[in-house]
Amino acid sequence: MANVEQYRQLVQTLLLEYSNIKANNEEVEAEAIFDVERDRYQVVHVGWSNKHRVYGCILHVDIKDGKIWIQHDGTEGGIANELVEQGVPKHDIVLAFHSPFKRQFTEFAVG
């Protein structure tokens, strides 16, 4: 198992990159939210579009028991693939947005 501190740094770096992507609507911001004490990390969209409130989670990643748990992934390519490209072994990535039963059929950790 790799150093959890390395996972923290990698997750924060990737989420900051996602938060820097500008939306088509300049009144909507992407915010990176990091709870480093509890190892919870999110990117959310916040703002207004055509007089309608915009608020929603784009990415939610936790680090638990030495593994990266992807709770929600609203990206096109998938952050799990980016983590693998950065050297994180698939057995240290949990696709938590899949049911525990379904996880056994993925290439990633079950929990």
Side-chain angles (χ1 to χ4, degrees):
M1 174 178 21
N3 184 342
V4 171
E5 186 57 39
Q6 292 172 325
Y7 286 173
R8 284 183 185 119
Q9 191 63 41
L10 179 56
V11 166
Q12 290 176 27
T13 299
L14 288 174
L15 269 62
L16 281 173
E17 289 175 11
Y18 275 103
S19 72
N20 286 326
I21 297 172
K22 300 296 180 200
N24 291 337
N25 183 340
E26 293 183 15
E27 293 184 40
V28 177
E29 292 181 61
E31 295 182 355
I33 302 170
F34 298 163
D35 179 351
V36 293
E37 285 184 32
R38 293 172 193 83
D39 280 324
R40 295 185 176 112
Y41 308 92
Q42 291 187 344
V43 174
V44 297
H45 279 166
V46 178
W48 291 89
S49 178
N50 298 323
K51 299 181 182 179
H52 295 285
R53 181 69 173 156
V54 174
Y55 180 85
C57 178
I58 304 307
L59 283 167
H60 178 170
V61 177
D62 297 334
I63 299 174
K64 300 191 300 186
D65 302 322
K67 295 184 181 187
I68 299 173
W69 289 65
I70 302 171
Q71 303 291 357
H72 177 74
D73 186 351
T75 67
E76 287 185 28
I79 194 167
N81 295 325
E82 292 184 54
L83 291 166
V84 170
E85 288 173 9
Q86 294 294 322
V88 177
K90 290 182 178 182
H91 62 79
D92 278 353
I93 300 171
V94 179
L95 303 180
F97 53 85
H98 287 311
S99 71
F101 174 76
K102 188 175 179 182
R103 291 180 208 155
Q104 66 183 319
F105 302 112
T106 72
E107 299 176 359
F108 297 93
V110 294

